[in-house]
């Protein structure tokens, strides 16, 4: 029997249309689901919309329509968006559906029967934007202002049913201790544990001041608290219209860090109260960070939200125009813009951390990692043959490439299994770099003139390697993988339960199998098109008052003790950096695992550095004048990990930068003593 995998997104609140943040989570879920299908696992992905609550009722009233009509409109927009981003959820649940209402009311009855729901009165503070209750210590003072929505919480006093959350504090702490991967990343588990240790208060789980919600069984003047209603979707969606309860418990709930508490505290407590055992709790809650756009927090007020669908469509148009014959010649070519957006969201932002998305970074990665590294590898191979040549005896170069594939395949699989798509892509790109290096060393253009049999071995090796790469990138870039396989003469991937297609080693190809040369998958964009994309999607400038530089400080003649006090001398150095900009730097401890000189580049060393990503990242560093390669191996260095890749040509792509210092005219790496690879530098 095939293994099973079940991944969920949050059900998205319908106070807004789909945007970059919701796309990020949904694409990540789709990537993980596609990976597990390739591994032969029976896999299921759930998404949907959260449609009840006071905020939705007020939003509908503001539009002059019934809440149900408002919900239908926004839910339809979400449902239509995901296929446009290459996402294929198996189910889309709406909390206004009868199947959900029926199952949630049954969950309420089960919990109530165990004595964990009782009637009382609630008086306190409630943020409508968060649909959450807060104490004064949770809010900004003065004014009890929500730290997320920057609006005062509302005072609420009403009859309410309560859930005995306080009863489950010790059980939850014990569960966290015995299941340390229940919440990821680990730093988020620390936050959750600290919250529970402070003591849990019983939770108000019903409201009487509005009616847009699921009625409480036996007391319809109450509607359920929106989070009691919403969290249950992960389970209720498996019960109807078909019985898919074999997928429970969920392998991972993907959520934003702002709703972690609901998923890691309230949800398991509800399940335990309803009679589910620990083995039936979700296996993991993975909380990713927040996204900014070009360094700015996204906000409708600031008019800097961005549609990932529009970005994908515009990039596809620009790529089509760059093909020979222009856009008309490319009319039959599937667009790659969607896959590029998917790739950049998964690669540029370390999954679990806050990150930034920008058109500049997307274009840089399109040209470097996708065009120069992946696309160019395919383009360097196919011109040498119309069919798969016969492979001769393998030499040291081929064995070296096979070793790189083994390592990359294992590291990428480990990362995907740990719900870390960023690390998986880092690992996959190491073998793409290794394959480009193999081309340089094997020199098929020379073999073509001098040794046709050797040329056959080189080309067959690369064709097989590209086939393996097409499988490994398919969870993130399914369309690109399909186009690669078409040009390589391979059939489309067809995952099926029980059939693990993950390539530990490249699959052998039979000599004579036809290749299908096609247009470049990542054609070089025209400068004018790049400029158009940058202009079209550039965020508006921040508010002038907010960004205005502080006036230059002047000496105050009567300040600091009287007339004639001297002004403080200006500090020497570069201009100040906003703290938020500095906080976006991904600085980590890395261990140098290998180092070698770059041929014909006297200043450069080619390093492999373990930064905790599952596979060492490649860093090209200009420190050859200060270090022999062997001096660096084993050193613990500080690495800036989230710089855009830098292409030095001929397959030399650097994926980070070492921190160094000028010590008496000599460049020295900044090193540390005992620290594990990947340890954050705070």
């Amino acid at each position: 029997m095939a293994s099973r995998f079940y991944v969920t997104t949050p059900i998205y609140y319908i106070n807004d249309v789909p945007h970059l943040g919701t796309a990020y989570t949904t694409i990540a879920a789709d990537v993980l689901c596609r990976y597990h299908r390739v591994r032969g696992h029976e896999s299921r992905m759930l998404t949907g919309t959260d449609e009840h609550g006071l905020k939705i009722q007020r939003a509908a009233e503001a539009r002059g329509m019934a809440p149900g009509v408002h919900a239908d409109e926004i839910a339809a927009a979400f449902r239509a968006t995901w296929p446009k981003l290459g996402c294929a959820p198996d189910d889309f649940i709406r909390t206004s559906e009868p199947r959900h209402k029926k199952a949630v009311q049954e969950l309420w009855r089960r919990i109530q029967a165990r004595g964990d729901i009782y009637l009382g009165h609630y008086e306190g503070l409630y943020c409508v934007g968060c649909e959450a209750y807060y104490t004064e210590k949770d809010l900004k003072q003065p004014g009890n202002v929500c730290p997320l929505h920057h609006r005062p919480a509302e005072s609420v006093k009403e009859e309410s049913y309560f859930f005995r959350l306080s009863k489950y504090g010790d059980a939850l702490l014990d569960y966290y201790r015995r299941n340390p991967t229940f919440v990821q990343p680990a730093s988020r588990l620390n936050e959750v544990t600290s919250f529970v240790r402070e003591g849990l208060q019983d939770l108000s789980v019903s409201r009487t001041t509005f009616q847009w919600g699921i009625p409480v069984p036996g007391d319809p003047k109450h509607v359920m608290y929106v989070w009691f209603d919403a969290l249950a979707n992960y389970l209720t969606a498996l019960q109807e219209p078909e019985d898919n309860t074999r997928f429970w418990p969920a392998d991972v709930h993907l959520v934003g860090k702002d709703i972690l508490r609901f998923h890691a505290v309230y949800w398991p407590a509800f399940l335990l109260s309803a009679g589910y055992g620990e083995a039936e709790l979700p296996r993991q809650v993975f909380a990713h960070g927040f996204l900014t756009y070009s360094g700015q927090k996204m906000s409708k007020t600031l008019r800097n939200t961005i549609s990932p669908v529009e970005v994908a469509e515009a990039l596809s148009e620009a790529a089509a125009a760059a093909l020979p014959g222009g856009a008309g010649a490319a009319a039959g070519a599937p667009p790659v813009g969607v896959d590029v957006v998917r790739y950049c969201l998964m690669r540029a932002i370390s999954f679990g951390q806050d990150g930034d998305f920008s058109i500049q970074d997307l274009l840089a990665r399109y040209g470097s990692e996708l065009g120069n590294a992946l696309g160019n590898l395919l383009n360097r191979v196919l011109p040498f043959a119309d069919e798969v040549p016969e492979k001769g005896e393998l030499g040291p170069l081929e064995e070296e490439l096979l070793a790189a594939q083994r390592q990359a395949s294992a590291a990428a699989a480990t990362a995907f299994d740990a719900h870390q798509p960023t690390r998986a892509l880092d690992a996959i790109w190491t073998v793409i770099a290794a394959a480009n290096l193999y081309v340089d060393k094997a020199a098929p253009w020379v073999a073509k003139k001098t040794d046709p049999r050797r040329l056959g071995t080189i080309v067959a090796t690369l064709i097989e390697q590209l086939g393996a790469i097409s499988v490994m990138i398919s969870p993130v870039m399914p369309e690109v993988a399909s186009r690669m396989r078409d040009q390589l003469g391979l059939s489309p991937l067809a995952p099926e339960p029980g059939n693990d297609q993950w390539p530990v080693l490249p699959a052998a190809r039979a000599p004579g199998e036809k290749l299908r040369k096609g247009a470049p998958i990542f054609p070089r964009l025209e400068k004018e098109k790049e400029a158009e994309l940058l202009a079209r999607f550039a965020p508006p400038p921040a508010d002038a008052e907010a960004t205005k530089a502080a006036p230059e400080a002047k000496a105050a003649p009567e300040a600091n003790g009287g007339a004639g006090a001297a002004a403080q001398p200006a500090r020497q150095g570069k201009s100040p950096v906003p703290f938020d900009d500095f906080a976006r730097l991904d600085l980590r401890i890395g261990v140098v695992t290998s180092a070698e000189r770059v041929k014909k580049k006297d200043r450069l060393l080619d390093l492999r550095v373990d930064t905790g990503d599952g596979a060492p990242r490649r860093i090209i560093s200009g420190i050859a004048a200060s270090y022999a390669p062997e001096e660096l191996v084993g050193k613990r260095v500080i690495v800036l990990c989230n710089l855009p890749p830098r292409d030095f040509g001929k397959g030399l792509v650097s994926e980070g930068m070492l921190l160094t210092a000028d010590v008496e005219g000599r460049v020295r790496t900044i090193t540390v003593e005992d620290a594990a690879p990947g340890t954050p530098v705070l």
Side-chain angles (χ1 to χ4, degrees), residues 65-232:
M65 61 177 60
V69 176
H70 170 80
D72 289 343
E73 180 181 316
I74 305 299
F78 274 94
R79 192 189 292 269
T81 293
W82 303 139
K84 297 176 183 177
L85 292 172
C87 299
D90 298 278
D91 195 2
F92 186 102
I93 190 165
R94 299 177 57 188
T95 57
S96 61
E97 290 182 77
R99 61 167 172 159
H100 179 71
K101 173 182 175 181
K102 171 184 170 184
V104 172
Q105 289 181 324
E106 178 57 30
L107 182 69
W108 180 284
R109 292 187 186 99
R110 288 177 62 171
I111 294 174
Q112 192 172 42
R114 293 170 68 94
D116 283 346
I117 290 179
Y118 63 92
L119 187 62
H121 283 82
Y122 177 79
E123 182 174 2
L125 298 165
Y126 187 79
C127 174
V128 177
C130 295
E131 294 283 11
Y133 301 99
Y134 288 113
T135 62
E136 288 188 357
K137 70 178 182 179
D138 296 321
L139 302 168
K140 291 182 178 180
Q141 302 299 337
N144 294 322
V145 175
C146 172
L148 185 62
H149 292 94
H150 309 295
R151 295 175 183 169
E154 298 183 11
S155 294
V156 175
K157 183 178 181 180
E158 61 183 321
E159 183 181 80
S160 175
Y161 283 94
F162 285 81
F163 171 70
R164 297 188 193 277
L165 184 63
S166 59
K167 174 180 172 181
Y168 291 91
D170 290 342
L172 289 171
L173 289 172
D174 184 57
Y175 184 74
Y176 301 154
R177 180 183 58 80
R178 291 182 287 105
N179 298 273
T181 61
F182 174 63
V183 175
Q184 288 292 303
S187 59
R188 306 289 182 220
L189 177 61
N190 296 336
E191 295 172 13
V192 169
T193 301
S194 296
F195 172 74
V196 176
R197 279 181 180 152
E198 289 179 2
L200 297 176
Q201 303 296 315
D202 288 354
L203 180 67
S204 172
V205 289
S206 76
R207 302 292 303 275
T208 58
T209 52
F210 64 91
Q211 292 301 308
W212 179 238
I214 295 178
V216 166
D219 196 350
K221 72 178 180 181
H222 288 257
V223 296
M224 294 181 192
Y225 171 46
V226 66
W227 276 106
F228 186 96
D229 164 6
L231 288 165

